[in-house]
Amino acid sequence: MDLNLSPSEEAFRQEVRDWLRRNLPPEWTVDALEKLEQRDAVACARKWQERLGAAGWLGLAWPKQFGGRGATLMEQAIYIMEAIAARAPMPADKIGLQLVGPALCEIGTQEQKNRFLGKILRGQMLWCQGFSEPNAGSDLASVQTRAVLEGDEWVINGQKIWSSDAPWADWCTLLARTNPEAPKHKGLTMLAVPMNSPGITVRPIRQINRREEFAEIFFDNVRVPRDTLIGELGTGWSVTMRMLTYERGLYTLVEIPRFEKAWRQEVEYAKTHRRNGRLLIDDPVVRERLAQAYANIQMMRLTNLRYISRYLRGVAPGEESSLMKLHWAATDQGLYDLGMALGGPAALAMLGAPRAICSGQWNADYFYSRACTIYGGTQDIHRNLVAERIYGLPR
Ligand SMILES: Cc1cc2nc3c(=O)[nH]c(=O)nc-3n(C[C@H](O)[C@H](O)[C@H](O)COP(=O)(O)OP(=O)(O)OC[C@H]3O[C@@H](n4cnc5c(N)ncnc54)[C@H](O)[C@@H]3O)c2cc1C
């Protein structure tokens, strides 16, 4: 494993750094956006995304023939680390850039490529992912939302849930059942659905941290043209699996600077606050938990770098991505459990409350860390994958 950057990677890093320094206004940094109402923050993030797109920084990994940069995994990692260091927000359209665009590059029709790829790359669209339903989460192949062909249109009825970014998305990549007679994995098809279609109702889900980035989406006789399929009729399951492998990529790398920052804040807090007359840092249990949290973050960082290094040497990512997800979730929750334990009752003050610790960020991140064992496949599902595919245990 070689962790040093090559001269061309070093030059790329400098290019990213210079561009960010010249183009990221202070009012669009992550810190500035955190202080805004969520819709206003999304509006700023969209403007930032358009600026990134105009300068060619979106779709780094997309093939050059489709307007991307054809960047290596290491260059993507460099971009992410530099953007985080500059406090630049990630592009708002995660689903379009990471799932829909790469899928269309591979399997889209020429008309779809012309219609969507340029706009996604220029940051002019925002997609959401309509996969999960109230009775189809881990068992995603059970989706019941129906799409029925009537003349030249699909008529869609059903409900999706937990769709991130749906309250402000322009388009939805929708997994629907087009053949109820076929075996469940075979009767599904992926559709591209405009979110302003008549018959769509988006009902945001308010979370305990007061944010509303998820929604339920109700489809009531929604009509879309016949040619809005992504992939072939009946291939929705393989398109979904293909999209989810794009999604895994480098996501854990993005989290590391946030964890390191929270860890440093926790150490500082422990050094400056007392409980029962004693500084928290003098409590051996606190010291042990801080040490464990630090070790977890470093294991996550190094495992990530090993993953990139292996990938660059042509070793395809395998089931170890499940191990990474399990460790990531344990790191995330352990870190913020510790923050809440250190802060005690004071840690209950939420974002924006006058005397909240770290402006309420620990509290918000603590609540968000609860989701980490659910999204991207629950812990149980990843444990099953590790058991069956790494250890060869029976189903
Ligand atoms: C932050 C966040 C963002 C999300 N964003 C999106 C999005 O944009 N679009 C979208 O479509 N969905 C999204 N989801 C939904 C997510 O994909 C599902 O919540 C997830 O797949 C789990 O499904 P479920 O909630 O229906 O739980 P279930 O599948 O009902 O699971 C319930 C419990 O049973 C366990 N379980 C289920 N099956 C098994 C099994 N075979 N073996 C052992 N245990 C099992 C699970 O581990 C869990 O503990 C998001 C979720 C979160 C938390």
Side-chain angles (χ1 to χ4, degrees):
M1 175 168 68
D2 181 3
L3 299 181
N4 294 311
L5 297 185
S6 69
S8 68
E9 287 164 351
E10 195 53 65
F12 179 79
R13 192 214 324 243
Q14 202 51 52
E15 185 190 347
V16 177
R17 195 174 281 179
D18 291 344
W19 188 86
L20 287 169
R21 201 183 52 246
R22 286 197 309 272
N23 287 280
L24 176 64
E27 63 273 20
W28 288 355
T29 60
V30 173
D31 309 284
L33 299 197
E34 274 169 6
K35 297 193 180 98
L36 297 180
E37 285 297 316
Q38 203 171 9
R39 273 186 189 271
D40 298 335
V42 173
C44 285
R46 288 191 73 153
K47 285 191 209 148
W48 170 238
Q49 160 173 300
E50 279 198 50
R51 188 172 288 189
L52 287 170
W57 290 109
L58 295 180
L60 285 180
W62 291 22
K64 286 188 176 160
Q65 72 198 96
F66 299 117
R69 282 199 174 215
T72 64
L73 202 63
M74 185 55 95
E75 286 168 338
Q76 293 169 61
I78 291 169
Y79 175 84
I80 290 171
M81 298 309 277
E82 289 299 319
I84 290 168
R87 307 297 290 153
M90 288 296 135
D93 184 23
K94 295 180 281 294
I95 305 293
L97 285 161
Q98 289 170 20
L99 272 65
V100 179
L104 290 178
C105 289
E106 277 190 49
I107 54 170
T109 61
Q110 194 53 48
E111 197 274 330
Q112 287 172 337
K113 287 177 181 149
N114 297 343
R115 181 172 184 193
F116 293 120
L117 293 184
K119 281 193 163 180
I120 296 175
L121 272 183
R122 287 191 296 278
Q124 294 164 344
M125 298 185 111
L126 210 159
W127 287 73
C128 66
Q129 184 197 65
F131 292 1
S132 305
E133 296 183 1
N135 291 314
S138 303
D139 184 16
L140 189 58
S142 295
V143 301
Q144 292 303 319
T145 294
R146 286 291 315 275
V148 177
L149 200 54
E150 278 186 18
D152 271 345
E153 290 180 323
W154 292 101
V155 181
I156 305 165
N157 281 286
Q159 180 194 351
K160 295 291 170 178
I161 193 167
W162 305 124
S163 296
S164 309
D165 295 330
W168 30 79
D170 310 310
W171 285 79
C172 175
T173 174
L174 178 81
L175 185 62
R177 188 158 298 283
T178 43
N179 183 356
E181 312 303 327
K184 69 178 182 178
H185 291 84
K186 300 243 157 91
L188 298 168
T189 301
M190 192 68 76
L191 298 162
V193 179
M195 290 295 282
N196 61 1
S197 309
I200 289 188
T201 306
V202 176
R203 194 183 294 163
I205 301 172
R206 186 145 221 237
Q207 298 149 226
I208 198 166
N209 64 4
R210 300 194 195 156
R211 294 193 164 246
E212 293 188 339
E213 72 252 32
F214 307 107
E216 295 175 284
I217 314 176
F218 296 90
F219 297 84
D220 186 9
N221 288 319
V222 174
R223 291 178 173 270
V224 293
R226 184 184 188 139
D227 63 0
T228 48
L229 303 193
I230 300 179
E232 305 287 322
L233 184 64
T235 61
W237 185 250
S238 62
V239 174
T240 306
M241 291 302 109
R242 191 185 293 239
M243 284 184 172
L244 293 179
T245 58
Y246 305 138
E247 193 181 29
R248 290 193 188 117
L250 290 168
Y251 196 66
T252 61
L253 202 58
V254 180
E255 296 285 37
I256 291 166
R258 177 168 72 89
F259 293 168
E260 287 182 334
K261 181 178 170 194
W263 184 83
R264 283 194 300 273
Q265 289 170 336
E266 288 178 0
V267 171
E268 193 51 36
Y269 190 89
K271 282 181 175 171
T272 51
H273 288 76
R274 292 174 182 275
R275 187 160 302 149
N276 301 327
R278 179 166 77 163
L279 276 176
L280 287 164
I281 199 76
D282 290 335
D283 179 342
V285 175
V286 168
R287 296 169 78 89
E288 188 181 322
R289 288 183 71 179
L290 282 168
Q292 184 61 59
Y294 183 80
N296 281 346
I297 298 168
Q298 295 314 313
M299 276 193 281
M300 196 169 144
R301 189 174 69 81
L302 292 170
T303 309
N304 235 292
L305 290 172
R306 188 177 56 199
Y307 168 89
I308 295 172
S309 173
R310 279 161 55 95
Y311 188 91
L312 291 174
R313 281 184 284 118
V315 183
E319 300 310 325
E320 76 266 18
S321 66
S322 285
L323 289 170
M324 284 166 74
K325 172 72 203 318
L326 288 166
H327 179 66
W328 164 21
T331 302
D332 192 346
Q333 293 190 349
L335 183 67
Y336 292 104
D337 285 350
L338 175 56
M340 296 301 272
L342 292 174
L348 296 175
M350 299 182 91
L351 270 183
R355 284 193 295 280
I357 301 175
C358 294
S359 311
Q361 199 57 52
W362 284 6
N363 178 288
D365 286 345
Y366 166 79
F367 282 119
Y368 203 82
S369 72
R370 303 300 100 184
C372 197
T373 44
I374 304 173
Y375 59 71
T378 69
Q379 296 298 84
D380 302 315
I381 295 302
H382 284 291
R383 285 194 193 101
N384 282 348
L385 289 172
V386 170
E388 289 165 26
R389 299 195 189 164
I390 296 183
Y391 297 123
L393 296 174
R395 276 176 69 81

